Amino acid sequence: MRLLLLCLPLAAPQEPSSWESVGEIDCLAEGARCFGCHTLNYCNGHGKCEQKGGPGSPFANCKCDPGWGGDAFCTERTCPFGKAQSDMPTSVTEAHSLKECSNAGFCDRLTGTCQCFPGFAGTACQSKTCPNDCSGKGLCLTMRQLAKMKDALPLNDGFTSVNNTDDLTNLPEPGDPTQNISIRYDGAMSRSGLGGPTYDQNLNRACLCDSSWPVGLGPGERQQAEFHGPDCGQKRCPSGDDPMTERDETNCTGVVAAGGRGVGRPGNICHVDCSNRGTCKDGLCKCFKGFYGINCGKRTTRY
Ligand SMILES: *[C@@H]1O[C@H](CO)[C@@H](O)[C@H](O)[C@H]1NC(C)=O
Ligand SMILES: *[C@@H]1O[C@H](CO)[C@@H](O)[C@H](O)[C@H]1NC(C)=O
Ligand SMILES: *[C@@H]1O[C@H](CO)[C@@H](O)[C@H](O)[C@H]1NC(C)=O
């Protein structure tokens, strides 16, 4: 009995309960070209067939259920929508309209899932990934997170009291489709008063590179991290004061940090690869002729 039940064929296709037309249209009687609901196969059970132009009209169309569409018959899946990563603005203040897969991926019409282009992620490709996963030498953080980091570039002396563990919790998942958050950047914004709400502060991401020494504008901190580059793929070399100059290049007191948003406080350190007397590769100095030492900070007596 049980087996028999299992083997029963599925019920024959029926008009879906969402059928709301006043009735199927008699195309022959109407004479004209007919787009009645039956010709739309009753939207394949994935939408409502609605008569256009009221009862008696020979025209009908499908209003597909969420997640279905792609064609007039609701046979294909649609994918999640997100704010377009790139599109044409529609006015001076409007851009990034809602687009399937955020204009940053293909929609797989069989499964309704986005296949994101490289560099994009999320159910609607609405967020960005970090280059090369930060080479395993850094954290991939959102712009909102980075804006609060005292050691994220550009260094900003407005954030010296905030440390790296702040704000790393309770953030929306990268795939979170709630994109209507209009919190301003917590970084330079609050100081300069420029800019406006940023829709992508939780979606755009970049690397905060690791460093074996503290990074920042404070005393004992260096303005440059050990690992650097967009993907943290480069490693700095031993640092030192240039033996050929009067000035101490490692003294970053009063030195404006890259990006121009902060100044080294007393005791702040500048990292000087190979004391400016050699080339740096993969963390190792190759000293110019006449200089030696792990950081090329020593001069040979004869040269
Ligand atoms: C980092 O910030 C957290 C939260 O504000 C604080 O509890 C912690 O003591 C701070 N750590 C350091 C090393 O400053
Ligand atoms: C986003 O907008 C929806 C609908 O307007 C609202 O229900 C939701 O609370 C909003 N989310 C945020 C994080 O503001
Ligand atoms: C670093 O430079 C500042 C300003 O030029 C100077 O006042 C300070 O004495 C220097 N520090 C050291 C340790 O040389």
Side-chain angles (χ1 to χ4, degrees):
M1 189 59 188
R2 205 155 150 233
L3 262 179
L4 184 68
L5 273 175
L6 281 172
C7 293
L8 280 173
L10 292 170
Q14 282 177 358
E15 291 184 22
S17 54
S18 60
W19 168 254
E20 284 196 344
S21 168
V22 290
E24 195 176 328
I25 301 138
D26 184 347
C27 290
L28 290 175
E30 297 284 345
R33 218 172 136 218
C34 180
F35 298 102
C37 288
H38 68 292
T39 66
L40 297 171
N41 198 28
Y42 306 108
C43 310
N44 292 284
H46 300 303
K48 257 190 209 171
C49 186
E50 293 178 333
Q51 272 192 296
K52 282 166 100 178
S57 160
F59 300 109
N61 67 353
C62 289
K63 200 170 168 192
C64 301
D65 294 335
W68 292 89
D71 62 8
F73 312 94
C74 306
T75 55
E76 296 189 324
R77 301 295 306 265
T78 56
C79 285
F81 279 57
K83 293 207 174 194
Q85 300 281 1
S86 61
D87 67 352
M88 290 298 284
T90 50
S91 84
V92 281
T93 54
E94 281 164 84
H96 302 288
S97 56
L98 285 177
K99 288 278 166 19
E100 198 171 34
C101 303
S102 308
N103 265 1
F106 294 116
C107 178
D108 182 332
R109 300 256 164 247
L110 287 178
T111 60
T113 53
C114 292
Q115 313 287 312
C116 301
F117 299 149
F120 298 96
T123 50
C125 308
Q126 74 277 35
S127 58
K128 291 206 174 120
T129 59
C130 282
N132 200 24
D133 250 343
C134 305
S135 310
K137 296 289 179 196
L139 296 170
C140 183
L141 301 178
T142 65
M143 291 168 90
R144 177 162 180 250
Q145 291 172 320
L146 289 166
K148 286 193 168 183
M149 300 284 178
K150 75 171 182 63
D151 53 354
L153 303 178
L155 297 179
N156 187 333
D157 49 12
F159 297 92
T160 45
S161 63
V162 179
N163 66 38
N164 280 356
T165 57
D166 279 343
D167 203 27
L168 284 173
T169 50
N170 299 324
L171 279 157
E173 287 293 301
D176 193 334
T178 52
Q179 291 185 52
N180 50 348
I181 308 156
S182 62
I183 307 160
R184 289 157 177 251
Y185 282 123
D186 302 284
M189 271 299 311
S190 52
R191 295 173 66 230
S192 66
L194 296 172
T198 48
Y199 83 92
D200 59 347
Q201 62 175 350
N202 288 318
L203 303 174
N204 258 332
R205 300 196 284 171
C207 296
L208 178 70
C209 300
D210 292 342
S211 185
S212 60
W213 55 75
V215 178
L217 295 163
E221 294 173 336
R222 293 190 212 185
Q223 294 193 2
Q224 296 81 12
E226 181 177 9
F227 290 91
H228 65 111
D231 66 350
C232 305
Q234 287 163 282
K235 188 184 180 188
R236 294 195 203 272
C237 284
S239 167
D241 176 21
D242 187 341
M244 296 293 282
T245 61
E246 288 271 306
R247 186 174 156 243
D248 178 2
E249 286 82 5
T250 65
N251 180 350
C252 241
T253 304
V255 172
V256 177
R261 294 209 170 274
V263 175
R265 296 205 302 282
N268 191 229
I269 302 166
C270 275
H271 183 95
V272 183
D273 270 341
C274 309
S275 312
N276 281 345
R277 295 293 154 187
T279 53
C280 174
K281 192 163 184 256
D282 303 330
L284 291 175
C285 291
K286 198 175 164 202
C287 302
F288 300 149
K289 209 174 168 197
F291 300 89
Y292 70 103
I294 191 164
N295 64 357
C296 307
K298 294 187 178 124
R299 287 173 72 183
T300 51
T301 45
R302 285 178 296 138
Y303 52 90

